[in-house]
Amino acid sequence: MAEEQTELEERIIIKDQHIKEIDLVNRDPKHINEDVVKVDFEDVIAEPVGTYSFDGVWKTSYTTFTVSKYWCYRLLSAILGIPLAVVWGFLFALISFCHIWAVVPCIKSYLIEIQCVSRIYSLCIHTFCDPLFEALSKICSNIRVALRREI
C-alpha cells in the first residue's frame, strides 16, 4: 500500500512539472524584453523648445499614438500569437530533440573514439620522438655561450 502511495505521489510530481501556473501580472519575470520594446510617445515624438504645436494637437497625438499602439499590439497578438506560439514551440522542441538525440551522442562518441586515437598518438610520440629529443638534448647540453665585450 505504501509503494502504491509513493508511486502515485511520483506521478503527481511528474505531472506538476508539465503544468505550470503563469503569472498574469508580471509577464516578463526574467526581463528578456526589458530594453527592447519599451517605446513610449516621448521616445518617438518630441517637440524642441520654440517649436510647439497646439496643445490640443499634442494631446490628441499622444492619445492616438498610445491607443493605436496598444490596440494594434493586442490585435496582432490575438491573430498571430497562438500560431507563432505553435511555431516557436515546434522549433524549440526540434532543437531540443536534435540536441538530445544527435548532438550529445555524437560528441560523446567522438570523445570515446578520440581517446583511443590519443593513446595511440601518445604511444607513437613516446616511442619515436622521446629518444630523438633526448639524444638532441644530450648533444646540445655541452654548448656554452659566452658573451664578451670587445673594446
Side-chain angles (χ1 to χ4, degrees), residues 64-125:
T64 304
F65 177 89
T66 307
V67 170
S68 64
K69 183 182 93 165
Y70 176 77
W71 282 106
C72 284
Y73 176 79
R74 292 194 101 180
L75 184 64
L76 285 171
S77 64
I79 294 170
L80 300 173
I82 293 173
L84 285 174
V86 170
V87 169
W88 287 115
F90 177 76
L91 179 68
F92 283 108
L94 184 64
I95 291 170
S96 298
F97 177 82
C98 288
H99 187 78
I100 291 167
W101 291 100
V103 174
V104 172
C106 284
I107 291 172
K108 294 289 184 181
S109 173
Y110 173 76
L111 290 175
I112 291 169
E113 292 163 6
I114 201 70
Q115 188 176 23
C116 178
V117 172
S118 169
R119 287 185 181 171
I120 293 170
Y121 177 77
S122 177
L123 183 62
C124 289
I125 292 294

Side-chain angles (χ1 to χ4, degrees), residues 17-151:
Q17 291 174 352
H18 299 292
I19 299 171
K20 181 181 174 184
E21 292 285 329
I22 60 170
D23 188 359
L24 294 175
V25 176
N26 183 12
R27 296 187 183 191
D28 189 10
K30 296 183 181 179
H31 307 291
I32 61 173
N33 288 319
E34 190 69 27
D35 298 328
V36 179
V37 291
K38 280 189 171 181
V39 178
D40 290 327
F41 181 76
E42 297 84 13
D43 298 326
V44 178
I45 300 172
E47 293 180 332
V49 176
T51 8
Y52 288 160
S53 61
F54 294 111
D55 290 344
V57 171
W58 187 251
K59 289 178 184 178
T60 306
S61 298
Y62 174 80
T63 305
T64 304
F65 177 89
T66 307
V67 170
S68 64
K69 183 182 93 165
Y70 176 77
W71 282 106
C72 284
Y73 176 79
R74 292 194 101 180
L75 184 64
L76 285 171
S77 64
I79 294 170
L80 300 173
I82 293 173
L84 285 174
V86 170
V87 169
W88 287 115
F90 177 76
L91 179 68
F92 283 108
L94 184 64
I95 291 170
S96 298
F97 177 82
C98 288
H99 187 78
I100 291 167
W101 291 100
V103 174
V104 172
C106 284
I107 291 172
K108 294 289 184 181
S109 173
Y110 173 76
L111 290 175
I112 291 169
E113 292 163 6
I114 201 70
Q115 188 176 23
C116 178
V117 172
S118 169
R119 287 185 181 171
I120 293 170
Y121 177 77
S122 177
L123 183 62
C124 289
I125 292 294
H126 288 304
T127 302
F128 298 111
C129 293
D130 281 359
L132 174 67
F133 291 129
E134 190 174 330
L136 286 173
S137 70
K138 286 184 179 182
I139 290 171
C140 295
S141 66
N142 289 327
I143 296 176
R144 304 279 186 247
V145 176
L147 296 175
R148 286 191 221 168
R149 195 179 229 190
E150 293 189 26
I151 302 178

